Amino acid sequence: MAEETDSYNQIVIEHLKRPRNMGEMENPDGVGEAQNPVCGDTMRLFIKVEAGRIIDAMFLTFGCGAAIASSSITTEMIKGKTIEEALRISDLVIAEALGGLPPTKIHCSVLAEKAIHAAVLDYQKRGGG
Ligand code: FES
């Protein structure tokens, strides 16, 4: 989707330029996929869990800059958190951690929140947690 990166703040631009933990994880304990029904952008989140704590996270996102920045910061935010703590991270918390998103891009962080929930669900289905 075309967009104006001028409307992004420095934190978002920094994550766009150097996305953290981008790529596919080998042997994850949970994989969650989320799609934004409006634009069709998708995010896949991989987590590794040990003793109920997320010890590693990676992402693959095909989407706008706000979605990529949200994914990037989400992997940083959930690392070291317990499953319960990770589930409490909402789209608003993610957008806030990014220093705010342009009004038309607020919905993009929802993708990351949904992906956390999907990854945890997958982890639990596999017998974890
Ligand atoms: S425009 Fe699709 S997630 Fe941002």
Side-chain angles (χ1 to χ4, degrees):
M1 181 177 267
E3 60 186 333
E4 295 166 37
T5 46
D6 316 354
S7 55
Y8 290 140
N9 68 42
Q10 281 311 308
I11 305 175
V12 176
I13 290 172
E14 222 283 302
H15 276 272
L16 266 180
K17 283 192 185 154
R18 282 195 319 120
R20 324 292 201 271
N21 312 302
M22 191 165 68
E24 190 160 354
M25 182 186 284
E26 275 182 36
N27 305 317
D29 295 316
V31 184
E33 204 166 283
Q35 185 173 48
N36 184 324
V38 181
C39 60
D41 291 348
T42 59
M43 171 181 179
R44 192 178 300 167
L45 180 68
F46 306 88
I47 54 171
K48 232 184 210 344
V49 185
E50 226 173 73
R53 204 170 276 278
I54 297 172
I55 56 161
D56 200 8
M58 291 182 76
F59 78 94
L60 278 176
T61 293
F62 302 96
C64 72
I68 291 168
S70 297
S71 309
S72 171
I73 205 160
T74 294
T75 58
E76 289 196 318
M77 289 168 79
I78 62 174
K79 269 199 218 184
K81 294 230 175 357
T82 64
I83 292 290
E84 292 72 28
E85 288 166 345
L87 288 174
R88 281 202 292 271
I89 298 175
S90 68
D91 59 317
L92 293 177
V93 171
I94 295 164
E96 209 174 276
L98 285 171
L101 286 169
T104 55
K105 293 279 164 184
I106 290 289
H107 71 277
C108 309
S109 58
V110 175
L111 207 57
E113 182 194 313
K114 280 200 212 158
I116 296 172
H117 285 256
V120 166
L121 195 70
D122 184 50
Y123 163 68
Q124 289 169 339
K125 270 192 199 153
R126 295 179 192 210

